Amino acid sequence: MIVDTLHWVGEDCSGHVSMIEQTLLPGEHRRIDVKTVPEMVEAIRRLAVRGAPAIGVAAAFGVLLGLEGLERRDADDAMGVVRETAATLARSRPTAVNLFWALDRMVARGEAERAGGGAAIMAGLYQEARTIHREDQEACSAMGDNGAALIEDGWTILTHCNAGALATAGMGTALAPIYRAVENGKRVSVYADETRPLLQGARLTSWELMQAGIDVTLITDNTAARVFSEGRIDAVIVGSDRIAGNGDVCNKIGTYGVAILAREHGVPFFVVAPRSTFDASLASGAEIPIEERAAEEVTCGFGQRTAPEGVQVYSPAFDVTPARLVTAIVTEAGVIAEPTSDSVGTHLGL
Ligand code: MRU
């Protein structure tokens, strides 16, 4: 494992979550224990744990943190608690659909265990959260295999934000094919966009790639056009927080600009994401709820004031890349080339 982003400590619902405190990276690599539902909501909100698949796993574990005493309740009462806990966790962040996917899965599992009352619901939810965690690791590995097949020996790849091990329970989404290609003996170099304003590319992607011994060069976001024009980039690989039914891809703010640059320069633009990141209920990316972050993250990021107090700020955390700019979406199940509503639907078995 490249890094252990988060895991459950314990053998039943009385345990807790151990996670890397990502806000401290790269200066400090410290783990924190998360033991209550409010603590988990806060950990997700302040980006101690972040990245769509990791948020999904965190939410599943978060449900377990709210189940104390559930074994003594009847099924109706117990499911009331489960639904309320899931609703609380759902209010943490709006964009990454993996969060809602995981919570829906937990509630459905609880419902399936109704006949056994509170104790059975509790046991079932513990199993389900463990399964969601394990399946994410397996999906990352499969995305690594499927994506590595697209990477040619000697390529230099540009990525945006952090869609690596730190964004998942496994080896990552966008970075998984890079790790796998290198394991397979291919020579691969990476340009990492710093990713304003919270610097996930600088703080997290460059850190985890260096930990793994991958050749990485950090660039400011506004250097991207320059490196494309200099012919330095062979492919772009990014992750996603939500993919609409027509293949429109929502990802960290700035991704759309990178996709336009890739098209202008004839460079393939790949998206790597598990099927849990698709939201086929949305016809297009225009329907995806986009989180807006606090002004202070732009005006006073990391405690350093860089803009006048009181200035108006607009800070959407994500943008949407239209499907027509996407060369292919890689999932754990295969590759969707030039995604459309039809090919996305077929891939998801809809
Ligand atoms: O705000 P963040 O850090 O949670 O944003 C994360 C991203 O945008 C990632 O690129 C996305 O979740 C894909 S992660 C595998």
Side-chain angles (χ1 to χ4, degrees):
M1 192 182 304
I2 296 142
V3 288
D4 172 17
T5 300
L6 78 169
H7 66 259
W8 184 257
V9 180
E11 298 302 322
D12 56 28
C13 292
S14 68
H16 64 270
V17 178
S18 165
M19 62 170 67
I20 296 179
E21 171 58 73
Q22 297 195 29
T23 62
L24 299 177
L25 285 170
E28 197 181 335
H29 183 186
R30 191 202 301 168
R31 301 192 75 82
I32 54 167
D33 289 337
V34 177
K35 296 186 171 174
T36 67
V37 175
E39 277 173 25
M40 183 58 88
V41 170
E42 266 316 291
I44 294 171
R45 241 179 226 153
R46 62 186 185 78
L47 313 189
V49 60
R50 32 65 52 204
I55 293 175
V57 174
F61 285 152
V63 172
L64 304 186
L65 299 174
L67 304 185
E68 204 186 325
L70 207 78
E71 66 274 25
R72 294 187 295 278
R73 294 178 184 250
D74 67 22
D76 279 348
D77 266 12
M79 281 313 297
V81 171
V82 172
R83 284 182 185 281
E84 211 178 291
T85 306
T88 301
L89 288 157
R91 287 191 287 273
S92 56
R93 290 187 79 188
T95 302
V97 77
N98 309 59
L99 174 83
F100 308 99
W101 166 87
L103 293 172
D104 287 350
R105 216 173 127 167
M106 292 294 280
V107 170
R109 178 62 185 262
E111 287 294 348
E113 304 289 349
R114 253 180 186 278
I121 291 171
M122 214 168 171
L125 289 176
Y126 176 71
Q127 287 308 327
E128 195 66 24
R130 287 286 198 178
T131 304
I132 288 171
H133 182 249
R134 193 193 63 244
E135 284 179 2
D136 187 53
Q137 294 176 327
E138 291 165 358
C140 288
S141 181
M143 286 184 277
D145 288 336
N146 294 337
L150 303 171
I151 295 177
E152 290 179 21
D153 184 34
W155 266 11
T156 299
I157 294 167
L158 183 134
T159 191
H160 189 76
C161 195
N162 174 265
L166 286 166
T168 67
M171 65 192 289
T173 59
L175 298 191
I178 296 172
Y179 290 131
R180 192 49 53 78
V182 169
E183 271 167 36
N184 294 345
K186 290 180 184 167
R187 289 161 301 151
V188 181
S189 305
V190 177
Y191 275 88
D193 280 350
E194 65 171 351
T195 316
R196 288 274 300 147
L198 294 177
L199 308 187
Q200 287 92 333
R203 294 188 303 105
L204 308 178
T205 299
S206 59
W207 179 81
E208 78 161 82
L209 288 172
M210 286 175 78
Q211 297 286 307
I214 308 269
D215 179 72
V216 56
T217 302
L218 178 64
I219 56 171
T220 60
D221 292 347
N222 43 6
T223 301
R226 179 71 186 167
V227 297
F228 276 101
S229 73
E230 290 172 335
R232 291 174 190 253
I233 307 299
D234 298 298
V236 174
I237 308 186
V238 295
S240 174
D241 292 85
R242 198 185 290 228
I243 301 174
N246 67 344
D248 287 351
V249 171
C250 178
N251 192 47
K252 177 55 58 193
I253 191 76
T255 303
Y256 176 35
V258 172
I260 293 170
L261 287 172
R263 177 57 54 94
E264 168 70 13
H265 292 276
V267 167
F269 180 89
F270 298 115
V271 177
V272 183
R275 285 173 294 181
S276 54
T277 298
F278 286 76
D279 184 353
S281 75
L282 304 184
S284 84
E287 295 172 43
I288 296 174
I290 303 289
E291 177 182 15
E292 282 187 38
R293 301 285 301 183
E296 293 70 45
E297 292 180 351
V298 177
T299 59
C300 201
F302 310 103
Q304 174 71 45
R305 178 152 290 285
T306 53
E309 218 154 324
V311 68
Q312 292 183 71
V313 172
Y314 173 50
S315 184
F318 302 96
D319 61 23
V320 175
T321 298
R324 66 187 156 72
L325 296 180
V326 177
T327 307
I329 302 175
V330 177
T331 77
E332 68 275 39
V335 176
I336 313 171
E338 294 173 7
T340 61
S341 301
D342 283 348
S343 59
V344 168
T346 304
H347 190 83
L348 298 178
L350 301 173

